[in-house]
Amino acid sequence: MTEAPELPLEMRRDGLTPAGELGRVRDEQGVLRQMGPFGQPAYLILRYEDVRAVFSDAARFSSAISEFPDADGMSEKEQAQLRAGNLIGFDPPEHTRLRRMLTPEFTVRRMRRLEPRITEIVESALDDLERAGKPADLVSNFALPVPSLVICELLGVPYADRAEFQDRTARMLDLSASVEDRNAARQEDRAYMTSLVARAQAAPGEDMLGMLVREHGDDLSTDELIGIASLLLLAGHETTSNMLGLGTLALLRHPVQLAMIRNDPARVEPAVEELLRWLSIVPSLIRTTTTDVEIAGQTIPAGSLVAPSPLAANRDRALLDDPEALDITRGVAGHVAFGHGVHHCLGAPLARMEMRIAFPALLKRFPGLALAEPDTDIEFRVFSAVYGLKTLRVTW
């Protein structure tokens, strides 16, 4: 059995609360050199202004992946195939080329056209949750199915395959799993996506994969199409599902604020922004310095890994007063839960819409929603690169 790695500071939480040391190091030092989850030293960047500066400067802080940190046993060809199309692992101009093809599908206007269908999906998931009978697991009956079905329909992935791709995603993101297990999941994912892309190339549908084949088939290689599809499927269901689960738990622990959303759905937009800030489910992202840089008075050599932390930045007093408190009435602008700069999350409008629809619908359908298990029994995905819940037992 593989021994679980020691968690880097930004991944240590007590339930919904980051480790107290994270805030202390941010306020006193601003930068911490530590070992990352793959045994490589990295500089953790903690202050709000510094995190934004790193995200904004692709020239000095590169996103380009030259080698996967856990690529033991993987050939250069296999790594190149996994990099292809993964726009979060490229800098401009390659990143710009890939993103430009996808941006029209994720505009606010395009998302508004999806709103009626997303509402139907949410209501159907609520029906399933009710049919499951109380107590029920909110994660498997609501938080995971909603974004999974949305991204499946948008991308052109058979929803019947959801159990398999959800399992693969969890294995790829599990930092306590062995390198062999994570790489096996990656290869399984690539094989699955290869079959979907081949199907789209043979008969392009009206979904996003079909659009990419029809409109950009001459500009994108097959490997790039596979990489784009893999990234969108993973990001499209994993992040929003964890926000729906953790966000519901946060509201249940703040019943006055939960009641505000239940009684006045207009409050949901600032609530979503505050939950994104407060939870910050992606604890850090990796960049590589292309030159010597100075951050918080510390010189970081060229070629170093840096890990700007949205979690630490979003709880910095430089962003707002009383950052440790959850206050859905403020809906602070400027948080970095979706990143910042050229790599700002492409799917942010979709994620916001899903949450804006899902939270009020859930609380309206189940006005007596409550936890059906003690707080101490709730299991979190501690070792996942995207923080979340394993399950959440609720009643109503």
Side-chain angles (χ1 to χ4, degrees):
M1 182 176 177
T2 303
E3 185 177 343
E6 181 179 352
L7 285 172
L9 178 58
E10 74 276 15
M11 290 184 66
R12 299 177 207 160
R13 307 198 197 200
D14 180 10
L16 300 179
T17 305
E21 187 183 355
L22 186 72
R24 288 194 294 274
V25 175
R26 177 195 59 225
D27 297 343
E28 294 172 8
Q29 298 173 220
V31 174
L32 175 69
R33 192 171 189 268
Q34 62 172 1
M35 297 302 290
F38 304 114
Q40 295 174 301
Y43 292 85
L44 184 62
I45 312 301
L46 296 165
R47 291 176 182 164
Y48 174 72
E49 294 297 344
D50 293 333
V51 167
R52 278 175 58 97
V54 172
F55 285 150
S56 300
D57 191 346
R60 294 196 304 157
F61 301 96
S62 172
S63 298
I65 300 172
S66 58
E67 182 178 273
F68 287 87
D70 55 346
D72 292 357
M74 197 184 298
S75 70
E76 288 187 16
K77 179 182 178 181
E78 288 172 326
Q79 291 193 59
Q81 287 177 329
L82 289 175
R83 279 195 302 271
N86 183 356
L87 67 163
I88 63 173
F90 288 99
D91 296 323
E94 185 65 7
H95 168 268
T96 309
R97 178 183 76 87
L98 293 169
R99 185 164 176 135
R100 188 181 293 126
M101 300 179 199
L102 295 169
T103 298
E105 297 299 308
F106 287 97
T107 61
V108 173
R109 172 185 278 183
R110 174 81 170 100
M111 292 304 104
R112 285 182 182 142
R113 293 207 301 270
L114 292 175
E115 185 167 0
R117 178 58 185 141
I118 294 174
T119 300
E120 289 177 359
I121 289 171
V122 167
E123 292 298 330
S124 177
L126 290 171
D127 292 341
D128 292 342
L129 179 62
E130 194 164 9
R131 277 193 292 268
K134 52 185 178 183
D137 176 24
L138 185 92
V139 172
S140 61
N141 289 288
F142 183 70
L144 193 50
V146 167
S148 293
L149 182 50
V150 170
I151 197 62
C152 280
E153 291 193 1
L154 192 63
L155 193 56
V157 174
Y159 186 56
D161 297 344
R162 64 192 181 278
E164 295 175 16
F165 71 67
Q166 288 165 358
D167 173 69
R168 283 195 299 269
T169 298
R171 287 158 56 205
M172 286 189 287
L173 294 175
D174 184 1
L175 302 183
S176 68
S178 68
V179 171
E180 293 77 17
D181 287 346
R182 285 197 301 274
N183 285 340
R186 285 185 181 131
Q187 295 300 340
E188 291 166 24
D189 178 71
R190 177 175 170 75
Y192 174 72
M193 287 302 175
T194 299
S195 67
L196 287 187
V197 167
R199 192 182 315 167
Q201 288 172 324
E206 295 304 311
D207 48 66
M208 195 178 300
L209 261 183
M211 177 278 293
L212 288 169
V213 169
R214 282 195 310 274
E215 298 183 15
H216 303 288
D218 294 335
D219 305 316
L220 291 168
S221 69
T222 296
D223 281 343
E224 286 177 325
L225 282 167
I226 293 167
I228 288 170
S230 296
L231 174 64
L232 293 180
L233 181 59
L234 184 153
H237 80 273
E238 181 68 24
T239 50
T240 307
S241 68
N242 285 310
M243 275 301 304
L244 289 174
L246 289 170
T248 301
L249 175 59
L251 292 173
L252 288 170
R253 289 181 172 175
H254 295 80
V256 173
Q257 299 189 58
L258 181 151
M260 290 180 188
I261 300 173
R262 184 187 61 222
N263 299 334
D264 182 7
R267 291 183 176 270
V268 74
E269 289 195 25
V272 165
E273 297 308 312
E274 177 69 348
L275 288 166
L276 284 163
R277 177 200 72 82
W278 196 70
L279 293 168
S280 295
I281 60 174
V282 179
S284 67
L285 296 163
I286 296 295
R287 301 288 189 266
T288 304
T289 56
T290 60
T291 185
D292 291 358
V293 297
E294 184 174 314
I295 299 178
Q298 183 165 342
T299 299
I300 300 176
S304 299
L305 294 180
V306 296
S309 173
L311 175 61
N314 283 336
R315 292 193 179 219
D316 189 345
R317 284 188 295 274
L319 172 62
L320 77 170
D321 295 330
D322 197 15
E324 298 300 327
L326 178 71
D327 179 359
I328 65 163
T329 66
R330 56 188 171 192
V332 64
H335 68 73
V336 289
F338 285 123
H340 183 66
V342 297
H343 284 282
H344 183 271
C345 178
L346 182 68
L350 177 60
R352 284 185 166 109
M353 174 164 285
E354 289 178 89
M355 288 185 276
R356 181 175 62 78
I357 294 170
F359 284 126
L362 172 67
L363 301 178
K364 180 181 177 182
R365 176 74 70 92
F366 302 109
L369 192 71
L371 291 175
E373 58 185 333
D375 276 5
T376 52
D377 289 349
I378 297 172
E379 288 190 84
F380 295 85
R381 292 171 36 171
V382 176
F383 288 99
S384 177
V386 179
Y387 195 61
L389 291 162
K390 293 182 178 179
T391 60
L392 185 68
R393 306 287 290 175
V394 296
T395 188
W396 52 86

